[in-house]
mmCIF file of all heavy atoms in Angstrom:
data_model
loop_
_atom_site.group_PDB
_atom_site.id
_atom_site.type_symbol
_atom_site.label_atom_id
_atom_site.label_comp_id
_atom_site.label_asym_id
_atom_site.label_seq_id
_atom_site.Cartn_x
_atom_site.Cartn_y
_atom_site.Cartn_z
ATOM 1 N N LEU A 458 -79.849 -5.630 -79.436
ATOM 2 C CA LEU A 458 -78.450 -5.697 -79.865
ATOM 3 C C LEU A 458 -77.874 -4.294 -80.060
ATOM 4 O O LEU A 458 -76.867 -4.129 -80.739
ATOM 5 C CB LEU A 458 -78.337 -6.474 -81.182
ATOM 6 C CG LEU A 458 -78.677 -7.968 -81.144
ATOM 7 C CD1 LEU A 458 -78.708 -8.532 -82.554
ATOM 8 C CD2 LEU A 458 -77.685 -8.725 -80.283
ATOM 9 N N ASP A 459 -78.535 -3.291 -79.474
ATOM 10 C CA ASP A 459 -78.129 -1.904 -79.703
ATOM 11 C C ASP A 459 -78.249 -1.088 -78.427
ATOM 12 O O ASP A 459 -78.631 -1.596 -77.371
ATOM 13 C CB ASP A 459 -78.985 -1.298 -80.814
ATOM 14 C CG ASP A 459 -80.455 -1.164 -80.401
ATOM 15 O OD1 ASP A 459 -80.867 -1.825 -79.413
ATOM 16 O OD2 ASP A 459 -81.196 -0.418 -81.051
ATOM 17 N N TYR A 460 -77.926 0.211 -78.543
ATOM 18 C CA TYR A 460 -78.061 1.127 -77.411
ATOM 19 C C TYR A 460 -79.455 1.745 -77.335
ATOM 20 O O TYR A 460 -79.917 2.110 -76.262
ATOM 21 C CB TYR A 460 -77.018 2.247 -77.523
ATOM 22 C CG TYR A 460 -75.610 1.797 -77.251
ATOM 23 C CD1 TYR A 460 -74.659 1.740 -78.269
ATOM 24 C CD2 TYR A 460 -75.212 1.414 -75.971
ATOM 25 C CE1 TYR A 460 -73.357 1.321 -78.016
ATOM 26 C CE2 TYR A 460 -73.922 0.998 -75.715
ATOM 27 C CZ TYR A 460 -72.996 0.954 -76.739
ATOM 28 O OH TYR A 460 -71.713 0.531 -76.489
ATOM 29 N N LYS A 461 -80.119 1.875 -78.470
ATOM 30 C CA LYS A 461 -81.394 2.592 -78.511
ATOM 31 C C LYS A 461 -82.529 1.829 -77.825
ATOM 32 O O LYS A 461 -83.328 2.432 -77.096
ATOM 33 C CB LYS A 461 -81.781 2.908 -79.967
ATOM 34 C CG LYS A 461 -83.083 3.695 -80.097
ATOM 35 C CD LYS A 461 -83.489 3.877 -81.552
ATOM 36 C CE LYS A 461 -82.801 5.066 -82.162
ATOM 37 N NZ LYS A 461 -83.431 6.344 -81.786
ATOM 38 N N THR A 462 -82.616 0.522 -78.026
ATOM 39 C CA THR A 462 -83.748 -0.244 -77.491
ATOM 40 C C THR A 462 -83.849 -0.143 -75.968
ATOM 41 O O THR A 462 -84.906 0.221 -75.439
ATOM 42 C CB THR A 462 -83.662 -1.718 -77.935
ATOM 43 O OG1 THR A 462 -83.575 -1.770 -79.369
ATOM 44 C CG2 THR A 462 -84.884 -2.500 -77.478
ATOM 45 N N PRO A 463 -82.756 -0.429 -75.210
ATOM 46 C CA PRO A 463 -82.856 -0.267 -73.751
ATOM 47 C C PRO A 463 -83.116 1.175 -73.335
ATOM 48 O O PRO A 463 -83.808 1.423 -72.346
ATOM 49 C CB PRO A 463 -81.496 -0.746 -73.240
ATOM 50 C CG PRO A 463 -80.950 -1.595 -74.321
ATOM 51 C CD PRO A 463 -81.454 -0.985 -75.591
ATOM 52 N N LEU A 464 -82.568 2.133 -74.091
ATOM 53 C CA LEU A 464 -82.798 3.540 -73.766
ATOM 54 C C LEU A 464 -84.278 3.883 -73.868
ATOM 55 O O LEU A 464 -84.841 4.529 -72.974
ATOM 56 C CB LEU A 464 -81.977 4.440 -74.697
ATOM 57 C CG LEU A 464 -82.230 5.951 -74.541
ATOM 58 C CD1 LEU A 464 -81.829 6.435 -73.150
ATOM 59 C CD2 LEU A 464 -81.487 6.748 -75.613
ATOM 60 N N LEU A 465 -84.931 3.451 -74.944
ATOM 61 C CA LEU A 465 -86.361 3.728 -75.105
ATOM 62 C C LEU A 465 -87.168 3.097 -73.965
ATOM 63 O O LEU A 465 -88.123 3.704 -73.461
ATOM 64 C CB LEU A 465 -86.849 3.205 -76.456
ATOM 65 C CG LEU A 465 -86.325 3.954 -77.692
ATOM 66 C CD1 LEU A 465 -86.749 3.238 -78.970
ATOM 67 C CD2 LEU A 465 -86.821 5.395 -77.715
ATOM 68 N N ARG A 466 -86.764 1.913 -73.551
ATOM 69 C CA ARG A 466 -87.457 1.260 -72.430
ATOM 70 C C ARG A 466 -87.229 2.040 -71.133
ATOM 71 O O ARG A 466 -88.143 2.206 -70.317
ATOM 72 C CB ARG A 466 -86.949 -0.171 -72.262
ATOM 73 C CG ARG A 466 -87.270 -1.106 -73.424
ATOM 74 C CD ARG A 466 -86.515 -2.421 -73.231
ATOM 75 N NE ARG A 466 -86.649 -3.338 -74.354
ATOM 76 C CZ ARG A 466 -85.859 -4.389 -74.539
ATOM 77 N NH1 ARG A 466 -84.876 -4.649 -73.680
ATOM 78 N NH2 ARG A 466 -86.043 -5.193 -75.578
ATOM 79 N N ALA A 467 -86.010 2.514 -70.916
ATOM 80 C CA ALA A 467 -85.691 3.276 -69.705
ATOM 81 C C ALA A 467 -86.457 4.598 -69.676
ATOM 82 O O ALA A 467 -86.941 5.029 -68.619
ATOM 83 C CB ALA A 467 -84.189 3.535 -69.626
ATOM 84 N N LEU A 468 -86.570 5.242 -70.842
ATOM 85 C CA LEU A 468 -87.317 6.501 -70.922
ATOM 86 C C LEU A 468 -88.795 6.271 -70.634
ATOM 87 O O LEU A 468 -89.458 7.112 -70.010
ATOM 88 C CB LEU A 468 -87.127 7.135 -72.305
ATOM 89 C CG LEU A 468 -85.692 7.562 -72.642
ATOM 90 C CD1 LEU A 468 -85.609 8.108 -74.062
ATOM 91 C CD2 LEU A 468 -85.181 8.599 -71.647
ATOM 92 N N HIS A 469 -89.314 5.137 -71.064
ATOM 93 C CA HIS A 469 -90.704 4.787 -70.768
ATOM 94 C C HIS A 469 -90.881 4.553 -69.266
ATOM 95 O O HIS A 469 -91.866 5.000 -68.658
ATOM 96 C CB HIS A 469 -91.089 3.526 -71.547
ATOM 97 C CG HIS A 469 -92.496 3.070 -71.315
ATOM 98 N ND1 HIS A 469 -93.601 3.797 -71.713
ATOM 99 C CD2 HIS A 469 -92.981 1.960 -70.698
ATOM 100 C CE1 HIS A 469 -94.705 3.157 -71.363
ATOM 101 N NE2 HIS A 469 -94.357 2.037 -70.743
ATOM 102 N N ALA A 470 -89.898 3.885 -68.651
ATOM 103 C CA ALA A 470 -89.964 3.596 -67.215
ATOM 104 C C ALA A 470 -89.925 4.868 -66.384
ATOM 105 O O ALA A 470 -90.705 5.038 -65.438
ATOM 106 C CB ALA A 470 -88.813 2.670 -66.818
ATOM 107 N N VAL A 471 -89.023 5.792 -66.737
ATOM 108 C CA VAL A 471 -88.920 7.027 -65.952
ATOM 109 C C VAL A 471 -90.132 7.926 -66.192
ATOM 110 O O VAL A 471 -90.577 8.643 -65.288
ATOM 111 C CB VAL A 471 -87.590 7.760 -66.250
ATOM 112 C CG1 VAL A 471 -87.653 8.598 -67.525
ATOM 113 C CG2 VAL A 471 -87.181 8.631 -65.073
ATOM 114 N N ASP A 472 -90.698 7.869 -67.382
ATOM 115 C CA ASP A 472 -91.933 8.610 -67.676
ATOM 116 C C ASP A 472 -93.059 8.142 -66.741
ATOM 117 O O ASP A 472 -93.709 8.947 -66.068
ATOM 118 C CB ASP A 472 -92.309 8.395 -69.143
ATOM 119 C CG ASP A 472 -93.663 8.995 -69.511
ATOM 120 O OD1 ASP A 472 -94.187 9.829 -68.752
ATOM 121 O OD2 ASP A 472 -94.208 8.598 -70.565
ATOM 122 N N ASN A 473 -93.257 6.832 -66.677
ATOM 123 C CA ASN A 473 -94.331 6.289 -65.830
ATOM 124 C C ASN A 473 -94.110 6.619 -64.358
ATOM 125 O O ASN A 473 -95.028 7.066 -63.656
ATOM 126 C CB ASN A 473 -94.422 4.768 -65.996
ATOM 127 C CG ASN A 473 -95.018 4.375 -67.338
ATOM 128 O OD1 ASN A 473 -95.663 5.174 -68.010
ATOM 129 N ND2 ASN A 473 -94.799 3.133 -67.744
ATOM 130 N N ALA A 474 -92.885 6.392 -63.870
ATOM 131 C CA ALA A 474 -92.603 6.601 -62.445
ATOM 132 C C ALA A 474 -92.675 8.080 -62.067
ATOM 133 O O ALA A 474 -93.246 8.442 -61.027
ATOM 134 C CB ALA A 474 -91.230 6.029 -62.106
ATOM 135 N N ALA A 475 -92.096 8.941 -62.903
ATOM 136 C CA ALA A 475 -92.079 10.376 -62.593
ATOM 137 C C ALA A 475 -93.471 10.988 -62.715
ATOM 138 O O ALA A 475 -93.846 11.852 -61.909
ATOM 139 C CB ALA A 475 -91.096 11.093 -63.526
ATOM 140 N N THR A 476 -94.232 10.549 -63.699
ATOM 141 C CA THR A 476 -95.602 11.073 -63.859
ATOM 142 C C THR A 476 -96.444 10.740 -62.629
ATOM 143 O O THR A 476 -97.213 11.577 -62.139
ATOM 144 C CB THR A 476 -96.253 10.496 -65.128
ATOM 145 O OG1 THR A 476 -95.476 10.876 -66.264
ATOM 146 C CG2 THR A 476 -97.675 11.009 -65.296
#
Side-chain angles (χ1 to χ4, degrees):
L458 293 172
D459 66 343
Y460 288 111
K461 182 185 275 281
T462 305
L464 175 63
L465 291 173
R466 294 171 186 165
L468 296 177
H469 180 66
V471 82
D472 174 16
N473 287 342
T476 300

